Amino acid sequence: VTTNDLADCEVLPDLLEQIDYPIEQVSGDGGYDTFDCYDATQERGATATIPPRSNAKIQQHPQEIAQPHPRDENLRRVNQVGRKQWKLESGYHRRSLSETAIFRLKTIFGGKLRRRFFDNQAVELFLQCAALNRMIQLGKPDSYKVEA
């Protein structure tokens, strides 16, 4: 959750710093298509699975001595195989799992927050997530192996 004066791409580096365990992949929509997001992801040893914007241009060309930037590599691959195929190859569609969870949360609790102040809104969202997680656990069947 961010305030209106911050873009998601601005807080990604701070979010990654809060995670203590290794990160394999960071997926985000085109709003995260910034060099800072790619750099923060690369610093954590993770793969950035962020689709380049439609008007993106390659910044480092193959003739340059420096290592190719991960954003340029994504853009080159999108140009080679197309955006749809890139999304399949990169595992980008795993991102839809979190999108589905947020859709479920908004459907159950409504798309608007009731609290006025940011700290209270964060608590409200935390409680909604806790309630949703509990509902999911209650709705799961108990499975066990039956011998024939």
Side-chain angles (χ1 to χ4, degrees), residues 2 7 14 58-60 62 71 84-85 103-104 110 138 142:
T2 60
D14 294 333
I58 293 175
Q59 300 296 314
Q60 273 183 328
R71 181 178 183 272
K84 185 175 181 180
Q85 182 62 33
F103 174 76
R104 187 179 303 124
L138 289 172
D142 291 328

Side-chain angles (χ1 to χ4, degrees), residues 137 139-146:
Q137 289 303 316
K140 286 185 179 178
D142 291 328
S143 301
Y144 52 92
K145 186 176 181 178
V146 176

Side-chain angles (χ1 to χ4, degrees), residues 128-139:
Q128 288 178 0
C129 289
L132 182 62
N133 286 339
R134 183 69 178 140
M135 285 186 250
I136 290 169
Q137 289 303 316
L138 289 172

Side-chain angles (χ1 to χ4, degrees), residues 64-102:
E64 294 182 24
I65 297 171
Q67 283 280 58
H69 197 275
R71 181 178 183 272
D72 289 343
E73 291 298 304
N74 279 353
L75 185 53
R76 282 187 184 96
R77 191 65 186 153
V78 167
N79 289 340
Q80 287 172 353
V81 300
R83 189 169 294 271
K84 185 175 181 180
Q85 182 62 33
W86 175 83
K87 287 180 178 183
L88 289 171
E89 289 176 2
S90 66
Y92 178 75
H93 292 295
R94 289 182 62 203
R95 184 181 143 275
S96 66
L97 297 173
S98 60
E99 295 287 347
T100 301
I102 296 301

Side-chain angles (χ1 to χ4, degrees), residues 11-21 23 40 43-44:
V11 297
L12 179 67
D14 294 333
L15 289 174
L16 294 178
E17 285 180 21
Q18 296 175 26
I19 300 171
D20 294 330
Y21 51 88
I23 303 170
E43 285 174 17
R44 290 300 307 265

